Amino acid sequence: MTSTSLPTAAPASGREEAPPLSVRLAARGLDGTTLLVVPALLAILGLFVYPFAYGLVLSLQPKAGAWWANYARFFSDPFLYDTIGATLRLALPVTVLNLALAVPIALRVRLMRRQRLLTTILVLPITLGTVLVAEGLLNFLGPQGWFNRSLVWLGVIAGPLKLTNNYWGVFASLLITGFPFAFLLTLSSVTGIDPALEQAAATHGANAWQRFTKVVLPLILPGLAVTFCLSFVQAFSVFPSAVLLGAPAGATRVISIAAYQAAFEDYDYSLASAIAMIMGAVQLAIVGLLLWGRTLLYTGPVGGTKG
């Protein structure tokens, strides 16, 4: 009996063929869809990254002294570094009060039938602009404004109150211009909560405060944290209100005024850039501290509450 020979397999090639370049790029996340992000990245580089890098380099090129001379000058001069405290004394209370007003109003507005009309009325001041609001407050809260004249006519006060060209004038301006922004962001958070969740809590005996603290607040807390950050950054960069309604050389000499004076009065653009860098660092520190504190208060799920 003779054995039949089996067919032998063809020898394997020494190296496997590599996949096409498009496949390898797609595996790394670089496909046609990803390329749509390129225009946005170029815009960010042109509008944020480059100006920031240019300002940082310029701040390290003082007119005289070592590369840190501008920062040493800022923190050694009380007339300069006190502007940080003056700005925080305006920005933080205004931001907290805006949120304290926005949350209950947004919770109420979301249940009303004419929500669009009420929202339009509440956000109307954001269309006026800071300068127009400041001009209106000067006419309304000034010594001869309607508010003071009405109080004097009613006999509530003997003489006009000083409500402009001081801290309270700037505070009122920031409150009026900042509330619509905080309200819109808060409303977008609270409208995502299913009312059935609160009804279920009420069925189990929870009162209004318990429903807010145990159901509503944890769900809107991430949104409130972002709202606080954006509102704080907006208030911290105050400039027109501090000049028109405040005391630019006194209690409302905020850090943006110090940067303006360094750049356009002293023509020291290097020092002005250093002040701008310090201004950004303070904002970043407050925002980072808030976002870190948010994780300590609540770390549960925040999505999928309505639908």
Side-chain angles (χ1 to χ4, degrees):
M1 181 176 180
T2 61
S3 60
T4 59
S5 59
L6 296 175
T8 59
S13 58
R15 184 175 60 183
E16 295 182 358
E17 184 178 355
L21 179 61
S22 58
V23 175
R24 284 180 289 165
L25 292 177
R28 297 177 179 270
L30 300 175
D31 52 10
T33 304
T34 308
L35 294 179
L36 297 176
V37 185
V38 172
L41 291 177
L42 293 177
I44 292 175
L45 289 174
L47 298 176
F48 177 76
V49 176
Y50 173 74
F52 174 81
Y54 179 81
L56 179 60
V57 173
L58 185 60
S59 69
L60 301 177
Q61 298 175 351
K63 289 184 176 180
W67 59 269
W68 64 82
N70 285 327
Y71 295 94
R73 177 183 173 185
F74 180 90
F75 289 107
S76 62
D77 187 353
F79 192 61
L80 289 176
Y81 69 72
D82 283 349
T83 58
I84 297 178
T87 312
L88 289 175
R89 284 191 293 271
L90 276 168
L92 287 175
V94 164
T95 305
V96 172
L97 184 56
N98 271 331
L99 280 183
L101 294 174
V103 171
I105 294 176
L107 288 172
R108 183 59 181 169
V109 168
R110 69 165 180 153
L111 301 177
M112 292 183 174
R113 298 180 58 183
R114 299 185 179 275
Q115 182 182 134
R116 294 183 178 179
L117 176 61
L118 292 171
T119 301
T120 302
I121 295 174
L122 290 172
V123 303
L124 187 61
I126 206 173
T127 65
L128 301 178
T130 305
V131 176
L132 188 58
V133 170
E135 183 181 356
L137 287 176
L138 285 173
N139 294 326
F140 183 74
L141 298 178
Q144 297 301 320
W146 299 347
F147 183 75
N148 274 309
R149 293 172 63 182
S150 298
L151 292 181
V152 172
W153 181 76
L154 293 173
V156 178
I157 56 177
L161 300 174
K162 185 174 177 55
L163 299 175
T164 58
N165 302 113
N166 56 10
Y167 175 89
W168 296 111
V170 184
F171 187 92
S173 176
L174 290 177
L175 190 66
I176 293 173
T177 57
F179 172 78
F181 187 67
F183 168 73
L184 285 176
L185 293 175
T186 305
L187 184 63
S188 66
S189 297
V190 300
T191 51
I193 301 176
D194 193 339
L197 296 175
E198 297 178 73
Q199 296 171 3
T203 303
H204 286 80
N207 56 34
W209 177 251
Q210 290 173 332
R211 294 196 299 271
F212 174 75
T213 56
K214 302 297 182 181
V215 178
V216 177
L217 184 59
L219 293 173
I220 66 174
L221 188 60
L224 288 182
V226 174
T227 302
F228 184 96
C229 293
L230 296 177
S231 299
F232 169 76
V233 170
Q234 182 186 38
F236 193 84
S237 59
V238 55
F239 180 78
S241 300
V243 174
L244 297 174
L245 289 167
T252 62
R253 187 174 185 270
V254 293
I255 192 170
S256 59
I257 293 180
Y260 172 85
Q261 291 176 340
F264 300 106
E265 293 183 10
D266 300 333
Y267 299 102
D268 192 345
Y269 297 105
S270 180
L271 177 60
S273 297
I275 297 175
M277 292 298 108
I278 295 171
M279 183 177 177
V282 173
Q283 295 181 42
L284 184 61
I286 297 297
V287 170
L289 183 62
L290 177 72
L291 296 179
W292 174 77
R294 182 193 66 176
T295 61
L296 300 180
L297 294 175
Y298 182 73
T299 57
V302 297
T305 60
K306 188 173 182 180

